[in-house]
Amino acid sequence: MAIVVNLDVMLAKRKMMLKELSEKVGVTTVNLSILKQGKVKAVRFSTLDSICSVLDCQPGDILEYIDD
């Protein structure tokens, strides 16, 4: 079981840099980088909501479940 984070894909599709997303979402670049790398243990719904709002996407566009 694995959750894959596709934040880098969505950033590329929106032609946005991590720093710009960080400023718009109000989360540090370091924390977003950790999320982007898939090294987080949890994500707040409020953070996910803000990311989806800024990137104009659905949570499923960012998080993907892959059965091993």
Side-chain angles (χ1 to χ4, degrees):
M1 166 179 83
I3 301 292
V4 177
V5 180
N6 295 316
L7 183 57
D8 53 345
V9 174
M10 289 307 301
L11 285 168
K13 285 182 179 179
R14 301 300 187 252
K15 298 179 181 166
M16 186 180 294
M17 299 298 294
L18 194 63
K19 183 178 181 199
E20 183 182 352
L21 179 64
S22 169
E23 292 168 355
K24 291 182 177 186
V25 172
V27 176
T28 66
T29 305
V30 172
N31 284 339
L32 285 179
S33 179
I34 292 169
L35 173 62
K36 188 174 91 167
Q37 295 172 23
K39 295 183 179 181
V40 295
K41 301 220 183 267
V43 179
R44 291 186 176 168
F45 281 153
S46 59
T47 302
L48 187 57
D49 178 60
S50 295
I51 291 170
C52 288
S53 178
V54 170
L55 294 177
D56 189 30
C57 66
Q58 295 295 314
D61 296 328
I62 297 171
L63 302 175
E64 179 181 3
Y65 173 76
I66 296 179
D67 192 10
D68 291 339

